[in-house]
PDB file of all heavy atoms in Angstrom:
ATOM      1  N   ALA A  15       0.853  -1.181   0.000  1.00 96.00           N
ATOM      2  CA  ALA A  15       0.000   0.000   0.000  1.00 96.00           C
ATOM      3  C   ALA A  15       0.891   1.233   0.000  1.00 96.00           C
ATOM      4  O   ALA A  15       1.863   1.310   0.753  1.00 96.00           O
ATOM      5  CB  ALA A  15      -0.911   0.014   1.229  1.00 96.00           C
ATOM      6  N   ALA A  16       0.564   2.199  -0.863  1.00 97.00           N
ATOM      7  CA  ALA A  16       1.385   3.396  -0.980  1.00 97.00           C
ATOM      8  C   ALA A  16       1.440   4.188   0.312  1.00 97.00           C
ATOM      9  O   ALA A  16       2.419   4.889   0.585  1.00 97.00           O
ATOM     10  CB  ALA A  16       0.862   4.281  -2.111  1.00 97.00           C
ATOM     11  N   GLY A  17       0.397   4.088   1.142  1.00 97.00           N
ATOM     12  CA  GLY A  17       0.405   4.784   2.417  1.00 97.00           C
ATOM     13  C   GLY A  17       1.556   4.327   3.302  1.00 97.00           C
ATOM     14  O   GLY A  17       2.226   5.151   3.938  1.00 97.00           O
ATOM     15  N   ALA A  18       1.799   3.024   3.355  1.00 97.00           N
ATOM     16  CA  ALA A  18       2.911   2.495   4.141  1.00 97.00           C
ATOM     17  C   ALA A  18       4.243   2.902   3.534  1.00 97.00           C
ATOM     18  O   ALA A  18       5.199   3.235   4.241  1.00 97.00           O
ATOM     19  CB  ALA A  18       2.811   0.971   4.232  1.00 97.00           C
ATOM     20  N   LEU A  19       4.319   2.876   2.206  1.00 97.00           N
ATOM     21  CA  LEU A  19       5.536   3.283   1.508  1.00 97.00           C
ATOM     22  C   LEU A  19       5.856   4.743   1.823  1.00 97.00           C
ATOM     23  O   LEU A  19       7.004   5.098   2.117  1.00 97.00           O
ATOM     24  CB  LEU A  19       5.335   3.096   0.001  1.00 97.00           C
ATOM     25  CG  LEU A  19       6.564   2.879  -0.876  1.00 97.00           C
ATOM     26  CD1 LEU A  19       7.154   1.496  -0.627  1.00 97.00           C
ATOM     27  CD2 LEU A  19       6.192   3.013  -2.341  1.00 97.00           C
ATOM     28  N   ALA A  20       4.842   5.597   1.784  1.00 97.00           N
ATOM     29  CA  ALA A  20       5.036   7.025   2.052  1.00 97.00           C
ATOM     30  C   ALA A  20       5.435   7.258   3.506  1.00 97.00           C
ATOM     31  O   ALA A  20       6.317   8.082   3.793  1.00 97.00           O
ATOM     32  CB  ALA A  20       3.755   7.795   1.726  1.00 97.00           C
ATOM     33  N   ALA A  21       4.796   6.544   4.423  1.00 97.00           N
ATOM     34  CA  ALA A  21       5.108   6.714   5.843  1.00 97.00           C
ATOM     35  C   ALA A  21       6.537   6.297   6.141  1.00 97.00           C
ATOM     36  O   ALA A  21       7.254   6.976   6.906  1.00 97.00           O
ATOM     37  CB  ALA A  21       4.123   5.906   6.693  1.00 97.00           C
ATOM     38  N   LEU A  22       6.988   5.196   5.544  1.00 97.00           N
ATOM     39  CA  LEU A  22       8.358   4.743   5.742  1.00 97.00           C
ATOM     40  C   LEU A  22       9.348   5.743   5.148  1.00 97.00           C
ATOM     41  O   LEU A  22      10.373   6.066   5.768  1.00 97.00           O
ATOM     42  CB  LEU A  22       8.553   3.361   5.116  1.00 97.00           C
ATOM     43  CG  LEU A  22       9.967   2.782   5.181  1.00 97.00           C
ATOM     44  CD1 LEU A  22      10.446   2.657   6.622  1.00 97.00           C
ATOM     45  CD2 LEU A  22      10.010   1.418   4.476  1.00 97.00           C
ATOM     46  N   ALA A  23       9.039   6.251   3.959  1.00 97.00           N
ATOM     47  CA  ALA A  23       9.912   7.238   3.330  1.00 97.00           C
ATOM     48  C   ALA A  23      10.003   8.505   4.170  1.00 97.00           C
ATOM     49  O   ALA A  23      11.095   9.056   4.379  1.00 97.00           O
ATOM     50  CB  ALA A  23       9.401   7.568   1.934  1.00 97.00           C
ATOM     51  N   ALA A  24       8.866   8.973   4.676  1.00 96.00           N
ATOM     52  CA  ALA A  24       8.856  10.179   5.503  1.00 96.00           C
ATOM     53  C   ALA A  24       9.685   9.983   6.767  1.00 96.00           C
ATOM     54  O   ALA A  24      10.423  10.878   7.193  1.00 96.00           O
ATOM     55  CB  ALA A  24       7.420  10.550   5.855  1.00 96.00           C
ATOM     56  N   GLU A  25       9.581   8.796   7.341  1.00 96.00           N
ATOM     57  CA  GLU A  25      10.330   8.487   8.562  1.00 96.00           C
ATOM     58  C   GLU A  25      11.836   8.506   8.289  1.00 96.00           C
ATOM     59  O   GLU A  25      12.621   9.077   9.060  1.00 96.00           O
ATOM     60  CB  GLU A  25       9.892   7.117   9.077  1.00 96.00           C
ATOM     61  CG  GLU A  25      10.507   6.708  10.393  1.00 96.00           C
ATOM     62  CD  GLU A  25       9.971   5.365  10.866  1.00 96.00           C
ATOM     63  OE1 GLU A  25       8.778   5.284  11.196  1.00 96.00           O
ATOM     64  OE2 GLU A  25      10.753   4.394  10.903  1.00 96.00           O
ATOM     65  N   ARG A  26      12.240   7.882   7.185  1.00 96.00           N
ATOM     66  CA  ARG A  26      13.660   7.819   6.858  1.00 96.00           C
ATOM     67  C   ARG A  26      14.214   9.187   6.473  1.00 96.00           C
ATOM     68  O   ARG A  26      15.331   9.548   6.857  1.00 96.00           O
ATOM     69  CB  ARG A  26      13.886   6.813   5.726  1.00 96.00           C
ATOM     70  CG  ARG A  26      13.691   5.365   6.174  1.00 96.00           C
ATOM     71  CD  ARG A  26      13.928   4.367   5.058  1.00 96.00           C
ATOM     72  NE  ARG A  26      13.850   3.005   5.557  1.00 96.00           N
ATOM     73  CZ  ARG A  26      13.952   1.921   4.788  1.00 96.00           C
ATOM     74  NH1 ARG A  26      14.125   2.049   3.472  1.00 96.00           N
ATOM     75  NH2 ARG A  26      13.881   0.710   5.329  1.00 96.00           N
ATOM     76  N   LEU A  27      13.447   9.951   5.724  1.00 95.00           N
ATOM     77  CA  LEU A  27      13.899  11.293   5.340  1.00 95.00           C
ATOM     78  C   LEU A  27      14.026  12.193   6.566  1.00 95.00           C
ATOM     79  O   LEU A  27      14.977  12.975   6.683  1.00 95.00           O
ATOM     80  CB  LEU A  27      12.935  11.900   4.324  1.00 95.00           C
ATOM     81  CG  LEU A  27      12.960  11.279   2.931  1.00 95.00           C
ATOM     82  CD1 LEU A  27      11.807  11.804   2.085  1.00 95.00           C
ATOM     83  CD2 LEU A  27      14.292  11.551   2.231  1.00 95.00           C
ATOM     84  N   ALA A  28      13.091  12.100   7.496  1.00 95.00           N
ATOM     85  CA  ALA A  28      13.147  12.905   8.715  1.00 95.00           C
ATOM     86  C   ALA A  28      14.362  12.549   9.564  1.00 95.00           C
ATOM     87  O   ALA A  28      14.899  13.404  10.286  1.00 95.00           O
ATOM     88  CB  ALA A  28      11.868  12.711   9.527  1.00 95.00           C
ATOM     89  N   ALA A  29      14.815  11.299   9.456  1.00 96.00           N
ATOM     90  CA  ALA A  29      15.986  10.851  10.203  1.00 96.00           C
ATOM     91  C   ALA A  29      17.285  11.152   9.458  1.00 96.00           C
ATOM     92  O   ALA A  29      18.377  10.790   9.930  1.00 96.00           O
ATOM     93  CB  ALA A  29      15.887   9.356  10.479  1.00 96.00           C
ATOM     94  N   GLY A  30      17.171  11.788   8.287  1.00 96.00           N
ATOM     95  CA  GLY A  30      18.352  12.144   7.518  1.00 96.00           C
ATOM     96  C   GLY A  30      18.929  11.010   6.691  1.00 96.00           C
ATOM     97  O   GLY A  30      20.064  11.101   6.209  1.00 96.00           O
ATOM     98  N   GLN A  31      18.166   9.941   6.523  1.00 95.00           N
ATOM     99  CA  GLN A  31      18.652   8.808   5.731  1.00 95.00           C
ATOM    100  C   GLN A  31      18.432   9.060   4.246  1.00 95.00           C
ATOM    101  O   GLN A  31      17.461   9.687   3.849  1.00 95.00           O
ATOM    102  CB  GLN A  31      17.916   7.530   6.149  1.00 95.00           C
ATOM    103  CG  GLN A  31      18.119   7.148   7.600  1.00 95.00           C
ATOM    104  CD  GLN A  31      17.339   5.903   7.979  1.00 95.00           C
ATOM    105  OE1 GLN A  31      17.087   5.030   7.138  1.00 95.00           O
ATOM    106  NE2 GLN A  31      16.936   5.805   9.228  1.00 95.00           N
ATOM    107  N   GLU A  32      19.333   8.542   3.442  1.00 93.00           N
ATOM    108  CA  GLU A  32      19.188   8.645   1.995  1.00 93.00           C
ATOM    109  C   GLU A  32      18.315   7.506   1.478  1.00 93.00           C
ATOM    110  O   GLU A  32      18.466   6.360   1.896  1.00 93.00           O
ATOM    111  CB  GLU A  32      20.551   8.601   1.306  1.00 93.00           C
ATOM    112  CG  GLU A  32      21.407   9.839   1.526  1.00 93.00           C
ATOM    113  CD  GLU A  32      22.636   9.835   0.642  1.00 93.00           C
ATOM    114  OE1 GLU A  32      22.714   8.977  -0.262  1.00 93.00           O
ATOM    115  OE2 GLU A  32      23.507  10.688   0.859  1.00 93.00           O
ATOM    116  N   LEU A  33      17.413   7.832   0.564  1.00 96.00           N
ATOM    117  CA  LEU A  33      16.598   6.802  -0.067  1.00 96.00           C
ATOM    118  C   LEU A  33      17.264   6.370  -1.374  1.00 96.00           C
ATOM    119  O   LEU A  33      18.290   6.902  -1.781  1.00 96.00           O
ATOM    120  CB  LEU A  33      15.185   7.332  -0.315  1.00 96.00           C
ATOM    121  CG  LEU A  33      14.422   7.775   0.940  1.00 96.00           C
ATOM    122  CD1 LEU A  33      12.980   8.121   0.583  1.00 96.00           C
ATOM    123  CD2 LEU A  33      14.451   6.706   2.015  1.00 96.00           C
ATOM    124  N   LEU A  34      16.658   5.390  -2.034  1.00 96.00           N
ATOM    125  CA  LEU A  34      17.237   4.848  -3.257  1.00 96.00           C
ATOM    126  C   LEU A  34      17.030   5.781  -4.441  1.00 96.00           C
ATOM    127  O   LEU A  34      16.122   6.619  -4.444  1.00 96.00           O
ATOM    128  CB  LEU A  34      16.597   3.491  -3.574  1.00 96.00           C
ATOM    129  CG  LEU A  34      16.725   2.396  -2.512  1.00 96.00           C
ATOM    130  CD1 LEU A  34      15.914   1.176  -2.945  1.00 96.00           C
ATOM    131  CD2 LEU A  34      18.185   2.023  -2.303  1.00 96.00           C
ATOM    132  N   GLU A  35      17.866   5.606  -5.442  1.00 96.00           N
ATOM    133  CA  GLU A  35      17.600   6.255  -6.722  1.00 96.00           C
ATOM    134  C   GLU A  35      16.345   5.617  -7.323  1.00 96.00           C
ATOM    135  O   GLU A  35      16.097   4.417  -7.132  1.00 96.00           O
ATOM    136  CB  GLU A  35      18.784   6.071  -7.677  1.00 96.00           C
ATOM    137  CG  GLU A  35      20.042   6.814  -7.259  1.00 96.00           C
ATOM    138  CD  GLU A  35      19.845   8.314  -7.345  1.00 96.00           C
ATOM    139  OE1 GLU A  35      19.205   8.784  -8.304  1.00 96.00           O
ATOM    140  OE2 GLU A  35      20.321   9.015  -6.433  1.00 96.00           O
ATOM    141  N   PRO A  36      15.534   6.379  -8.059  1.00 96.00           N
ATOM    142  CA  PRO A  36      14.306   5.811  -8.639  1.00 96.00           C
ATOM    143  C   PRO A  36      14.604   4.982  -9.887  1.00 96.00           C
ATOM    144  O   PRO A  36      14.187   5.299 -10.995  1.00 96.00           O
ATOM    145  CB  PRO A  36      13.479   7.062  -8.966  1.00 96.00           C
ATOM    146  CG  PRO A  36      14.503   8.112  -9.256  1.00 96.00           C
ATOM    147  CD  PRO A  36      15.651   7.845  -8.315  1.00 96.00           C
ATOM    148  N   LEU A  37      15.316   3.892  -9.686  1.00 96.00           N
ATOM    149  CA  LEU A  37      15.714   3.000 -10.777  1.00 96.00           C
ATOM    150  C   LEU A  37      15.124   1.614 -10.527  1.00 96.00           C
ATOM    151  O   LEU A  37      15.054   1.157  -9.385  1.00 96.00           O
ATOM    152  CB  LEU A  37      17.235   2.907 -10.868  1.00 96.00           C
ATOM    153  CG  LEU A  37      17.969   4.230 -11.112  1.00 96.00           C
ATOM    154  CD1 LEU A  37      19.480   4.027 -11.035  1.00 96.00           C
ATOM    155  CD2 LEU A  37      17.580   4.806 -12.474  1.00 96.00           C
ATOM    156  N   PRO A  38      14.707   0.925 -11.576  1.00 95.00           N
ATOM    157  CA  PRO A  38      14.001  -0.351 -11.401  1.00 95.00           C
ATOM    158  C   PRO A  38      14.888  -1.467 -10.870  1.00 95.00           C
ATOM    159  O   PRO A  38      16.033  -1.625 -11.275  1.00 95.00           O
ATOM    160  CB  PRO A  38      13.504  -0.670 -12.820  1.00 95.00           C
ATOM    161  CG  PRO A  38      14.474   0.038 -13.720  1.00 95.00           C
ATOM    162  CD  PRO A  38      14.835   1.303 -12.998  1.00 95.00           C
ATOM    163  N   LEU A  39      14.335  -2.232  -9.955  1.00 94.00           N
ATOM    164  CA  LEU A  39      14.997  -3.414  -9.424  1.00 94.00           C
ATOM    165  C   LEU A  39      14.300  -4.627 -10.047  1.00 94.00           C
ATOM    166  O   LEU A  39      13.283  -5.103  -9.542  1.00 94.00           O
ATOM    167  CB  LEU A  39      14.867  -3.430  -7.896  1.00 94.00           C
ATOM    168  CG  LEU A  39      15.605  -4.513  -7.112  1.00 94.00           C
ATOM    169  CD1 LEU A  39      17.105  -4.435  -7.355  1.00 94.00           C
ATOM    170  CD2 LEU A  39      15.306  -4.376  -5.622  1.00 94.00           C
ATOM    171  N   TYR A  40      14.852  -5.098 -11.161  1.00 92.00           N
ATOM    172  CA  TYR A  40      14.196  -6.177 -11.914  1.00 92.00           C
ATOM    173  C   TYR A  40      14.582  -7.567 -11.402  1.00 92.00           C
ATOM    174  O   TYR A  40      13.763  -8.468 -11.315  1.00 92.00           O
ATOM    175  CB  TYR A  40      14.558  -6.094 -13.395  1.00 92.00           C
ATOM    176  CG  TYR A  40      13.974  -4.907 -14.119  1.00 92.00           C
ATOM    177  CD1 TYR A  40      14.774  -4.101 -14.927  1.00 92.00           C
ATOM    178  CD2 TYR A  40      12.626  -4.599 -14.020  1.00 92.00           C
ATOM    179  CE1 TYR A  40      14.243  -3.015 -15.612  1.00 92.00           C
ATOM    180  CE2 TYR A  40      12.082  -3.512 -14.685  1.00 92.00           C
ATOM    181  CZ  TYR A  40      12.905  -2.722 -15.488  1.00 92.00           C
ATOM    182  OH  TYR A  40      12.377  -1.647 -16.166  1.00 92.00           O
ATOM    183  N   LEU A  41      15.842  -7.801 -11.124  1.00 91.00           N
ATOM    184  CA  LEU A  41      16.422  -9.065 -10.674  1.00 91.00           C
ATOM    185  C   LEU A  41      16.503 -10.137 -11.759  1.00 91.00           C
ATOM    186  O   LEU A  41      17.167 -11.145 -11.575  1.00 91.00           O
ATOM    187  CB  LEU A  41      15.676  -9.637  -9.459  1.00 91.00           C
ATOM    188  CG  LEU A  41      15.659  -8.767  -8.197  1.00 91.00           C
ATOM    189  CD1 LEU A  41      15.043  -9.555  -7.037  1.00 91.00           C
ATOM    190  CD2 LEU A  41      17.036  -8.269  -7.827  1.00 91.00           C
ATOM    191  N   ARG A  42      15.820  -9.935 -12.870  1.00 74.00           N
ATOM    192  CA  ARG A  42      15.935 -10.890 -13.977  1.00 74.00           C
ATOM    193  C   ARG A  42      15.486 -10.213 -15.254  1.00 74.00           C
ATOM    194  O   ARG A  42      14.980  -9.104 -15.249  1.00 74.00           O
ATOM    195  CB  ARG A  42      15.108 -12.150 -13.710  1.00 74.00           C
ATOM    196  CG  ARG A  42      13.617 -11.913 -13.746  1.00 74.00           C
ATOM    197  CD  ARG A  42      12.844 -13.185 -13.444  1.00 74.00           C
ATOM    198  NE  ARG A  42      11.415 -12.963 -13.611  1.00 74.00           N
ATOM    199  CZ  ARG A  42      10.484 -13.695 -13.029  1.00 74.00           C
ATOM    200  NH1 ARG A  42      10.825 -14.698 -12.241  1.00 74.00           N
ATOM    201  NH2 ARG A  42       9.206 -13.436 -13.243  1.00 74.00           N
ATOM    202  N   ARG A  43      15.674 -10.907 -16.383  1.00 54.00           N
ATOM    203  CA  ARG A  43      15.326 -10.347 -17.683  1.00 54.00           C
ATOM    204  C   ARG A  43      13.802 -10.270 -17.846  1.00 54.00           C
ATOM    205  O   ARG A  43      13.066 -11.003 -17.192  1.00 54.00           O
ATOM    206  CB  ARG A  43      15.913 -11.204 -18.817  1.00 54.00           C
ATOM    207  CG  ARG A  43      17.439 -11.218 -18.819  1.00 54.00           C
ATOM    208  CD  ARG A  43      17.968 -12.109 -19.925  1.00 54.00           C
ATOM    209  NE  ARG A  43      17.569 -11.593 -21.232  1.00 54.00           N
ATOM    210  CZ  ARG A  43      18.223 -10.627 -21.875  1.00 54.00           C
ATOM    211  NH1 ARG A  43      19.280 -10.064 -21.322  1.00 54.00           N
ATOM    212  NH2 ARG A  43      17.824 -10.220 -23.057  1.00 54.00           N
ATOM    213  N   PRO A  44      13.309  -9.355 -18.709  1.00 50.00           N
ATOM    214  CA  PRO A  44      11.858  -9.247 -18.911  1.00 50.00           C
ATOM    215  C   PRO A  44      11.250 -10.516 -19.491  1.00 50.00           C
ATOM    216  O   PRO A  44      11.922 -11.305 -20.152  1.00 50.00           O
ATOM    217  CB  PRO A  44      11.712  -8.081 -19.887  1.00 50.00           C
ATOM    218  CG  PRO A  44      13.066  -7.710 -20.337  1.00 50.00           C
ATOM    219  CD  PRO A  44      14.061  -8.380 -19.475  1.00 50.00           C
ATOM    220  N   ASP A  45       9.943 -10.708 -19.210  1.00 48.00           N
ATOM    221  CA  ASP A  45       9.233 -11.876 -19.755  1.00 48.00           C
ATOM    222  C   ASP A  45       9.180 -11.834 -21.276  1.00 48.00           C
ATOM    223  O   ASP A  45       9.282 -12.856 -21.936  1.00 48.00           O
ATOM    224  CB  ASP A  45       7.798 -11.924 -19.195  1.00 48.00           C
ATOM    225  CG  ASP A  45       7.780 -12.228 -17.705  1.00 48.00           C
ATOM    226  OD1 ASP A  45       8.729 -12.886 -17.231  1.00 48.00           O
ATOM    227  OD2 ASP A  45       6.836 -11.807 -17.031  1.00 48.00           O
ATOM    228  N   ALA A  46       8.962 -10.645 -21.839  1.00 46.00           N
ATOM    229  CA  ALA A  46       8.868 -10.502 -23.291  1.00 46.00           C
ATOM    230  C   ALA A  46      10.261 -10.329 -23.881  1.00 46.00           C
ATOM    231  O   ALA A  46      10.995  -9.425 -23.506  1.00 46.00           O
ATOM    232  CB  ALA A  46       8.008  -9.294 -23.642  1.00 46.00           C
TER     233      ALA A  46
END
């Protein structure tokens, strides 16, 4: 749920932690 994602991000940013770059984490090649 995006609400949990946002709350976690807000918590980490308030603590001065760096978040990830907005790059995809695929772990494997695409299906197509």
Side-chain angles (χ1 to χ4, degrees):
L19 205 71
L22 177 59
E25 184 177 293
R26 289 181 175 177
L27 289 171
Q31 299 178 29
E32 290 189 10
L33 300 187
L34 301 174
E35 292 293 320
L37 301 174
L39 186 60
Y40 291 131
L41 299 187
R42 69 181 186 203
R43 296 178 63 83
D45 292 333

